[in-house]
Amino acid sequence: MAAKIKTGDKLPMFLYDTPYRAQNRFRDLLAAQAPLVLVFMANFGNPVTRTFASRYAETFDKLYSGGFAMVVRSRADKLAGSLAQDALPFPLMCDADGVLYELLDIPTRSSAWMAYSLEALQIFRQAKKQGYHTAKGKEQQMPLTLILDKNGKVLFCHYGTSMTDVPRDCEAMQNLLDELELIPDSFEKAVLAVQK
């Protein structure tokens, strides 16, 4: 039975698809990039998801002491035809059937007004000017932000209360990692020295 995940819980290991590679091992991603910031959002066609994916791509170099991946409720094969292979510098994990969303009890909202923030309204207003239309009565997917260690243990968990209630960009993710003191000082000093 699905239940909200909490700090201290362990995320099960699983296989995931990206638009260009099927059956990737989540265990391998954690081993290579932990602590890993994992952000769950709506499908990739959603203007909010696309806005944040662009922000994360533009600021990716600001995340220097951890990894990042985004999970979307989209089909990998559909995205492969419309998203260039090197368009994003981070893994885009596809969960069109919402298996992980159900497992982690990530909520949806039936009312747009309960799901939107002022920022989301602005994003949708701009998207509407460019021809985007939302189906009336469609449930809106809420986000979830996790930070995981190399074993999948949850070090930080935040269920979003609006569609934009996620880290604003990769610099905000780095600030969160710094605040949580998840990176040893010696590692952080070495990274900063290399960046200079």
Side-chain angles (χ1 to χ4, degrees):
M1 187 171 166
K4 283 191 165 38
I5 199 162
K6 306 177 297 299
T7 302
D9 289 347
K10 202 167 178 185
L11 199 66
M13 295 301 150
F14 55 88
L15 297 175
Y16 65 92
D17 295 342
T18 70
Y20 295 96
R21 190 165 160 224
Q23 301 295 292
N24 300 277
R25 291 177 6 138
F26 187 59
R27 179 182 314 279
D28 296 340
L29 182 64
L30 286 173
Q33 298 193 26
L36 180 72
V37 180
L38 191 60
V39 175
F40 292 78
M41 295 196 79
N43 69 69
F44 198 74
N46 185 293
V48 171
T49 302
R50 291 181 80 90
T51 296
F52 278 83
S54 292
R55 276 188 204 162
Y56 295 151
E58 289 166 9
T59 61
F60 190 67
D61 63 330
K62 303 291 185 188
L63 182 64
Y64 54 82
S65 57
F68 168 63
M70 178 183 271
V71 186
V72 294
R73 292 193 73 161
S74 299
R75 285 182 46 186
D77 60 332
K78 295 284 186 190
L79 288 182
S82 61
L83 189 65
Q85 191 163 359
D86 58 353
L88 300 172
F90 51 82
L92 188 65
M93 303 164 69
C94 298
D95 182 14
D97 295 330
V99 174
L100 289 171
Y101 291 79
E102 288 178 25
L103 176 72
L104 302 173
D105 197 21
I106 305 173
T108 58
R109 300 270 190 266
S110 55
S111 164
W113 294 110
M114 297 295 288
Y116 288 6
S117 60
L118 180 57
E119 183 178 18
L121 282 171
Q122 292 169 338
I123 291 169
F124 276 104
R125 188 173 295 127
Q126 187 62 34
K128 191 173 181 181
K129 288 179 186 175
Q130 297 170 0
Y132 179 84
H133 295 287
T134 25
K136 291 193 188 251
K138 182 181 177 188
E139 290 205 331
Q140 301 295 327
Q141 179 67 60
M142 294 292 94
L144 168 65
T145 303
L146 299 175
I147 298 179
L148 306 164
D149 74 5
K150 64 180 182 178
N151 299 310
K153 181 180 175 185
V154 178
L155 305 172
F156 173 84
C157 174
H158 177 71
Y159 283 84
T161 57
S162 75
M163 295 176 74
T164 57
D165 190 5
V166 293
R168 178 169 177 74
D169 54 26
C170 288
E171 186 173 11
M173 292 178 199
Q174 182 61 49
N175 290 339
L176 184 56
L177 290 172
D178 292 342
E179 280 294 313
L180 295 172
E181 298 180 349
L182 297 177
I183 306 300
D185 285 341
S186 58
F187 176 80
E188 190 168 340
K189 286 176 185 170
V191 168
L192 289 173
V194 169
Q195 288 181 339
K196 289 180 182 177

